[in-house]
Amino acid sequence: MEVLVLEIEDPSCFWVTMKGCGPYIVDEIEYKNLNAEMDQFYDKSYKDVDEVKPVTVEEGQVCVVFSEELKCWCRAVIKSIMYCTDHYQTECFLVDYAKYIFVKSKDIRVALEAFMQIPYRAKKCRLYRTKPVTLRIDFCEDTAKIVPAKRWDSAATQYFQNLLKATTQMKAKLCAIEDNTFDVFLYVTIKDEKVCVNDDLVSKNFARFEEAKENTGSSADYQENQTSLNVESLPVKIVNPALAFRPVLFQEKIPTNLETGLAVTSSFLKETYQRSSTDLNESTAPIVKAIPGLPFKENTARHTNRLLQFLNSDPLKTHIIEDDQQSFQNLSEERNFVFISNKIEPSSILETAPLFDDLKKELTRKKFSGPNFTQSYCWPPVARGCDVVAISYQGNDPLLYIPPVLTFLQSGSCYKALPNRNGPLALILCPGWKKAQLVFELLKTYERCSRQLHPMLVILGQNKEEARSVKIRGCEVIVTTPYSLLRLFEHHSLLFCRLSHLVLDEIEVLFSDATEQVFTILDCYKKAIITEEWEYSPHQIIAVGTRWNKHIAHLIKEFMNDPYIVITAMEEASIYGNVQQVVRPCMNSERTAVLLKILDFTHNNLQKVLVFTNSVNEAEMVHKALKSNSIFSLKIHEESEFNFKYILEQWTKKYSSGTHVVLVLTDDCMQSLGITDATCVIHFSFPSPRIFGQRLHSLSDNFCNVIKDSSVDQEYTKARSVILLTENSACHALGILRYLQHAEAEIPPELHDFAAKILEAEEDKKSLRPLCAYLKTFGICKNRTVCPDRHQINLLIDVPQNIPDKIIQTPGCVTVLPLHIVNATNYFGRIVDKQKDQYTILAEEINEYFKKPSNKISVKNVEKLAFYGLCEKTLFHRVQVVEISPKEENLFFNVKIKYIDEGRTSQVQSYQLLHLPVKFQYLPPQAVEFIVCRVKPIDNEIEWNPKVTHYIRHKIKGKLHEAKIVHTLGNTAWLDPMVRVTRLSDLKMSVNEYSVRSEILATGLGTDNPEHITQLQKLCGHVKVLDHAKNLEPLSIKEDTAGPENASNPQNISIQENSTENCNSSKITSGNHPFDDGVAQTKEAEDSTPHHHKCFYPEIKWFQKEETVTVKVKIASVADCKCEFAKEKVVFSACSGDKLYLADMELHQCILAEKSTCVVKDQEVVIVLAKEKKGVWCKLLKNKNPHVSFDFEHWEDFEDKSPFPVGTKKLYCTAAVTEELVDSSEDSGTESDE
């Protein structure tokens, strides 16, 4: 029915008048006649006013009032009453005009029954099952998400009002009536396009669809509601028509086809078709994509029946608004497709999910909106204790496994057969401390409603005492990382004795960053469960992630038992299915010729080929080209004369071996056809990433099971995906390259070159972005392709700022004051001039100036980037406005400011900003960014553990430190080292209390990063990178040391970083500025003869196998280890404490340098040399050396495993040992560390 809006409060409360004919509709002429009759009656009765005036007035009373605006008498309902001194005033709602007016008591009349016979003209409406949402911000977790709300946001109401004002025609479909309110689907026509307002609000994230509720009320109650309107009951079937045209993203609880997981039923299809044909005309263009047919898989015999009534008609012409396309791309893909190895009955609603009741209640209280599509398939097998591998776009969500694992842990009887010892039942491995923290917090949240599991978060550094002190008594769930777990396992050997559930979170990250550690843990777990006591106990491995990884296949084969594999990302499913990805670079004009070459094949098996095009014209052109070259092909697109039924009949026919069936189609027909048995997909035009995965789904029946061994020739059964890469595919080149690399496919050189140019262009676009924080802090950015910041030097931005010119010209020692600690190695602060610090003088003047109340002048007009004063406690600071929030109705508003002399930022009220005189602005901002060099987090982490940051903040904030600037860029200075120096004025000496780098290393959560500065200088294009590295080397040699022998020797006084073991033996230097003197002496030592830094030859033992020689270098606490391999030589160097070890070894025979390795362990370094020729070496070195000896512990191992005859073996081994004994008996010119 056509409607006209009278008044709008929000989408749940607006009034309309209806036009046309129907049970609720009265012609406008009747209302005009009614108004005329009321005017005539009440105007004439002015002499007998008392007869028509009400005796009493109360809220909710129906009456007739006079409207000054409309100049007529109107029917009304009294909403409120206000009493005045000599009269009372009422707020009335005009039921025919949907207006609120204030009426004096003299203008109120009794409503005669004759005037109340026809229904009210204004009908109160609300959008059918369309409920408000709002953005909830969690400041604790620093997250924001859209959640259900009780009232509409002002933005949603404003958008709704604007939408209705812009319409040229408005129609409503009545769905239900409740409490005299009409529930409607509202359709508006804007610029010749018809839009469903309900769907539009949902797609714009202003609203959500509410699921249908069971009708618990009696039929009598319903009839009472109907008759109260004084009209005939409306013959409307109360169903959920919103589902038919609802965006795919919001269909939450639709029964699911078990074979493919596609949310579709025959009644739903029928309902969709009926609504599409009756409610919408051909010009309809909903804001989100209406689905003319959902992709689903059935037996071929049922293809015809499934499409008869739905697909015979022309498909609905729809499109997707560009803004919304990306926002729900992943969810729509995941809802449509699933690849599963075993049949799973999904749990699509929380009420029927395989979780215990208390957990369901807790999830409901937490406003949990799932289970989502992937969860519905993962929860059932996990809750049954089965092994599961899940790859999904939401594979990094811990709720994929936490609820079902908690449910399984409730059944304590399952674990009675396990040994009664201390050890966890469940172990969750996360890729880093940050993810582990998130998982632990979720466990703590949902564990409240279960039995006591005492979960623990274990994040350990390299300090062995910390691992030894961990107590796991009573703990049943441990959340940790692979590295931390192995450190814990060294001191808790029974860690796996009760372990039943092993969860690998973000499996692709675990396997890429810690492959060896993860497989070590899996081996330990496998060995633990082979005992008899595990025969009747659960043992489960769960692996979840967002991408397939080649190591997952090995995980499944070796460690899992018939796992459930759930993949809802079709691009990843195609990699699992071993789909052959082929790229054919060509010019756009050559595509047809290349296509014909691809199709010119001879094959013994049936080949079904899909050629995907982006437009109708392309499809027609390709079809004609194939036809002219005598290639039998079908075609289908939205303008094709063939219907879907005919195409499917041709496609599903039984063909003989060697037949080639080619179908040319456009993407909009793909879902309706539902083809899954293609053997080859050719991307004639490359689609968006959203469509690419859907195209690959057409091959899903021919995915190879890479887990199970097969005798079938994989070359002829493998599905293929062929991409025609042209100059028009530039926007997709990077995505294609990354996907091919991920799939380990052959990559054309042209694509590499093209992608490199695009990457360079992308970097150029970032020229005004700040330099990447990871690049500055660690010398490398692991996620360079997706990082939004700059990775190249921009001379306009990176010129030194806020750093005194004399320091730039002669880099050296400075006094720094860290004031704002970002993390363990990144701080903001000032460079202090001890002789005459200009900022100290300025700060005193500013504080003296603002002490006078008359000088504290608040700023009226705040300007961005302007400088102001700010009082913080008793101190005044110079600040700069960085961002101004939108001004609200109140007088004051928030502004984001930066403390230009400290580097930190903050939010303050505008009235707190004070006028800063120009004389206080002459000194440039003093804040400088400091970065401590050559240290990074352990375990391949990219962020510092908060424990380290907190420790360093407490130790250095607000304290003066001496530092050497080794590099500057922009406002950033790199320090190496940074030392806290205390002056002993009485003794005229200074003491080095600690080095910041050494303190970080001492926590056990940091490790050496020797390439830090080298990487930065390569970035800057410095030629003398190696020279600078050599200059830093003596400093690194003496770093971490403050030994008594050096302290007692005045010749060796220099900058030193004290190790934790020797922190009490503080290094003492003499002179007025001990730090400068130390640097001078270090420089002098560098330029002097080598005897100032004695090199020791380490103790070396070696043994051999047929193909390798293993060299063990015995050094405790190895640091700055380097090993260079040549064909006949190995040069090894390392530091330990205050000693430098150097071994220049000329080998007895040749080695393969590229295959030789060096691994650092706690008390030794293991060097494995790959022999150039197999055989036995008589000795290791050409020349004798007393520090090199044969390792007798491995002599018998060598005998047992040697392929040589016994006599020969003994001869060679004896020769080798004898040679070593002779060597060791002679002296060498190299100094021993004894």
Side-chain angles (χ1 to χ4, degrees), residues 374-388:
T374 309
Q375 288 166 349
S376 69
Y377 277 89
C378 288
W379 284 3
V382 173
R384 293 199 299 268
C386 303
D387 290 343
V388 175

Side-chain angles (χ1 to χ4, degrees), residues 207-227:
R208 63 182 176 88
F209 277 111
E210 183 184 52
E211 206 52 55
K213 298 179 181 178
E214 294 182 5
N215 186 10
T216 55
S218 64
S219 58
D221 295 335
Y222 177 72
Q223 290 175 0
E224 185 176 335
N225 277 339
Q226 296 280 12
T227 54

Side-chain angles (χ1 to χ4, degrees), residues 413-576:
S413 58
C414 296
Y415 309 102
K416 287 184 177 179
L418 296 177
N420 189 18
R421 296 172 182 166
N422 287 322
L425 294 175
L427 176 65
I428 302 176
L429 283 184
C430 300
W433 66 264
K434 207 166 190 178
K435 182 61 180 289
Q437 182 74 43
L438 170 66
V439 172
F440 179 70
E441 293 299 329
L442 285 171
L443 272 175
K444 293 290 288 182
T445 298
Y446 294 109
E447 182 248 358
R448 298 168 190 159
C449 60
S450 70
R451 69 182 182 88
Q452 291 298 311
L453 300 174
H454 306 289
M456 280 182 64
L457 174 65
V458 179
I459 303 295
L460 296 175
Q462 295 174 332
N463 291 344
K464 294 186 176 181
E465 284 300 322
E466 185 183 9
R468 194 177 288 113
S469 63
V470 173
K471 305 295 182 184
I472 57 175
R473 184 174 300 170
C475 167
E476 296 193 1
V477 182
I478 287 181
V479 184
T480 185
T481 65
Y483 292 95
S484 294
L485 180 67
L486 291 179
R487 294 182 189 117
L488 183 66
F489 185 53
E490 287 181 16
H491 304 281
H492 297 79
S493 57
L494 300 178
L495 196 62
F496 292 91
C497 68
R498 287 169 50 83
L499 187 62
S500 301
H501 311 273
L502 177 59
V503 180
L504 306 175
D505 194 321
E506 294 189 43
I507 184 68
E508 75 282 2
V509 182
L510 288 174
F511 274 140
S512 63
D513 291 351
T515 310
E516 182 182 346
Q517 288 74 18
V518 172
F519 278 120
T520 301
I521 293 166
L522 287 167
D523 285 330
C524 294
Y525 178 64
K526 187 176 181 179
K527 291 174 184 176
I529 64 175
I530 59 175
T531 57
E532 292 183 5
E533 57 196 6
W534 281 91
E535 186 176 354
Y536 301 105
S537 300
H539 40 89
Q540 178 186 40
I541 298 178
I542 303 165
V544 298
T546 57
R547 305 180 77 192
W548 181 262
N549 184 286
K550 61 183 179 181
H551 295 296
I552 298 178
H554 182 66
L555 165 69
I556 296 171
K557 287 180 182 177
E558 298 297 327
F559 301 100
M560 288 185 164
N561 180 25
D562 191 23
Y564 285 79
I565 301 171
V566 179
I567 307 178
T568 55
M570 290 313 298
E571 303 94 308
E572 304 303 319
S574 70
I575 297 175
Y576 160 83

Side-chain angles (χ1 to χ4, degrees), residues 802-822:
N802 305 345
I803 300 174
D805 292 338
K806 62 179 181 180
I807 293 173
I808 298 170
Q809 294 165 5
T810 57
C813 302
V814 293
T815 301
V816 299
L817 180 66
L819 297 169
H820 173 52
I821 312 302
V822 179

Side-chain angles (χ1 to χ4, degrees), residues 338-351:
V338 62
F339 180 88
I340 51 178
S341 60
N342 299 312
K343 188 174 181 179
I344 300 174
E345 184 173 351
S347 300
S348 57
I349 57 175
L350 187 60
E351 289 75 11

Side-chain angles (χ1 to χ4, degrees), residues 168-183:
T168 55
Q169 187 182 26
M170 191 181 310
K171 291 186 177 182
K173 180 177 180 180
L174 185 58
C175 300
I177 301 171
E178 185 179 354
D179 298 329
N180 293 348
T181 302
F182 291 71
D183 289 331

Side-chain angles (χ1 to χ4, degrees), residues 603 677 793 804 1008 1105:
H603 212 290
D677 61 344
I793 299 301
D1008 188 43
K1105 296 182 181 179

